[in-house]
Amino acid sequence: MANPTHRHSKARRDKRRQNWKGAAPSLGQCPECKELKLPHRACTSCGAYNGNKVLEIVEK
Amino acid sequence: MRHKVDGRLFGRPANQRKALLRGIVTSLLEQQRIETTVPKAKEAKRIAERMITFGIKGDLHSKRQVLSYVTDRAVASKLFSEIAPRFQGRNGGYLRIVQTRQRLKDSAPMAILEFVDYENVKQAKGKAAKEEKASKKTEKKTEKKAEKKEAKK
């Protein structure tokens, strides 16, 4: 069976993992309510998409 | 290699996948607007638009084609009598997908799948509901009045 010949130190493991980074979502501004919204998605705060396309927003 | 293999599998065996999509398409035709995950919406859109094209064609063969897919006969007849006339003269593109949110439980991207003329449908629906409410109210009122009258007697 194939096995590792040498021990891998914590430093090597952590150096490898340095490049595992999360990326911030690219947000745009809703043209209706100026809130931040995801591109190609209906605005989650006012429910608008492409002008008058409105989904009902239930206030909590 | 799965080059050029079309369609989504949804992690289900063929029979369950077929049943799932039939259910989605049927409720879409019934409700005019539904919320599902984005991939399910995209897959259902193709089939539902085919159904509407059958509806516009309206001959016996297309009726049989629709009945063999839609799970509810009432919905099939609604497709031919109510939905198809609205799209006479339009060649495809009867449906719209609007991506909305991440579902809370599994963060699945959700979308709303609706007819492109849903605004008109919604207004008609709202009116019908209002009228129903109003008629119920008047009914109740008249009932109450009648009860009061009887009580007075």
Side-chain angles (χ1 to χ4, degrees), chain A residues 23-50 55, chain B residues 38 98-103 107-110:
Chain A
S26 56
L27 295 170
Q29 210 174 36
C30 170
E32 303 292 320
C33 68
K34 313 297 174 203
E35 279 293 317
L36 288 178
K37 72 182 259 303
L38 285 164
H40 305 292
R41 233 137 297 184
C43 175
T44 43
S45 68
C46 71
Y49 188 71
N50 266 358
L55 325 164
Chain B
V38 172
V98 180
Q99 300 187 28
T100 52
R101 62 191 175 107
Q102 309 287 119
R103 193 201 269 154
S107 204
M110 301 298 283

Side-chain angles (χ1 to χ4, degrees), chain B residues 43-112:
Chain B
E43 207 66 19
K45 182 170 183 263
R46 306 178 3 160
I47 304 165
E49 297 207 323
R50 199 151 69 221
M51 290 298 136
I52 299 158
T53 306
F54 279 138
I56 293 169
K57 218 174 168 197
D59 55 4
L60 183 62
H61 180 58
S62 26
K63 277 180 186 167
R64 285 182 175 154
Q65 293 276 302
V66 171
L67 280 170
S68 73
Y69 194 81
V70 169
T71 55
D72 185 346
R73 284 188 81 90
V75 172
S77 71
K78 184 186 174 184
L79 168 64
F80 286 100
S81 63
E82 286 173 40
I83 300 169
R86 304 207 309 254
F87 295 106
Q88 245 7 289
R90 187 190 277 262
N91 297 321
Y94 320 109
L95 297 170
R96 171 192 298 142
I97 294 174
V98 180
Q99 300 187 28
T100 52
R101 62 191 175 107
Q102 309 287 119
R103 193 201 269 154
L104 222 57
K105 287 197 166 177
D106 57 358
S107 204
M110 301 298 283
I112 281 175

Side-chain angles (χ1 to χ4, degrees), chain B residues 112-148:
Chain B
I112 281 175
L113 176 59
E114 66 181 14
F115 283 92
V116 286
D117 62 350
Y118 183 75
E119 280 303 306
N120 309 333
V121 178
K122 193 168 82 178
Q123 277 173 7
K125 255 190 186 174
K127 265 186 194 172
K130 262 188 190 174
E131 274 166 23
E132 210 169 273
K133 261 191 184 175
S135 67
K136 266 186 188 172
K137 265 190 183 175
T138 50
E139 253 176 50
K140 270 190 182 173
K141 271 185 185 174
T142 49
E143 266 175 35
K144 272 188 183 172
K145 273 183 187 174
E147 272 171 28
K148 272 186 185 175

